[in-house]
Amino acid sequence: MPHLSRRHLVLTGLAAPALALPAAARDRAPEVYAELGVAIDGSDPVAYFDGTGPVMGEDHGLMWRGATWYFASHANAARFEADPKAYAPQFGGYCAYAAARGYLAPTVPEAWTLHQGRLYLNASLRARALWLSDIEGNIARGRANWPAILG
């Protein structure tokens, strides 16, 4: 996976307009929720598993599934690169509660849950509370809806 700086990401994004995509590709939501191409608003996904929760990544960035992921250290970037599916949030980083309800919603890094070794993000702390009220049922419903809800 290529390593990128934030400056490189911005310049690359400006040079590749979405209009170059076929209409069908533009109509489908990206596989990973990423504002301005950055996953988890720049938070380090590996840090959640270390018990520190959302920690802003630095310039240790890499591309995976069409998004740029940032990490607080080279070690965390290496861990992610070795097994990205183990650290990436479920449902592409979209709100897990919304996925359980059959639609897509953005997320905030502070509304998170680790459950059975998987990271789930939510749109807000309120959505997280609703998610936690029936986590197993919500996971099952989200999996039934995923990835069809991408479009």
Side-chain angles (χ1 to χ4, degrees):
M1 288 180 227
H3 294 274
L4 304 172
S5 69
R6 288 181 195 261
R7 183 178 323 152
H8 184 264
L9 170 68
V10 171
L11 294 175
T12 302
L14 292 174
L19 295 176
L21 295 173
R26 284 194 308 265
D27 294 340
R28 182 174 166 88
E31 184 177 357
V32 172
Y33 171 68
E35 290 211 17
L36 301 174
V38 178
I40 319 178
D41 292 337
S43 292
D44 180 339
V46 177
Y48 288 96
F49 293 87
D50 293 338
T52 54
V55 173
M56 286 304 293
E58 301 296 325
D59 282 332
H60 311 290
L62 59 88
M63 290 290 297
W64 183 70
R65 294 207 169 161
T68 300
W69 301 76
Y70 287 104
F71 304 91
S73 67
H74 287 293
N76 281 5
R79 287 171 62 191
F80 184 89
E81 192 169 24
D83 191 3
K85 289 182 181 181
Y87 296 104
Q90 301 299 290
F91 308 117
Y94 290 94
C95 178
Y97 183 71
R101 297 296 174 257
Y103 64 94
L104 297 176
T107 54
V108 294
E110 299 78 23
W112 61 281
T113 303
L114 281 179
H115 180 73
Q116 295 182 347
R118 298 289 181 214
L119 175 61
Y120 297 89
L121 298 175
N122 292 110
S124 66
L125 294 177
R126 173 71 177 131
R128 181 178 181 265
L130 294 168
W131 164 257
L132 291 173
S133 70
D134 181 16
I135 196 164
E136 293 296 333
N138 286 321
I139 290 170
R141 286 186 293 277
R143 286 184 180 154
N145 293 328
W146 191 262
I149 59 176
L150 292 172

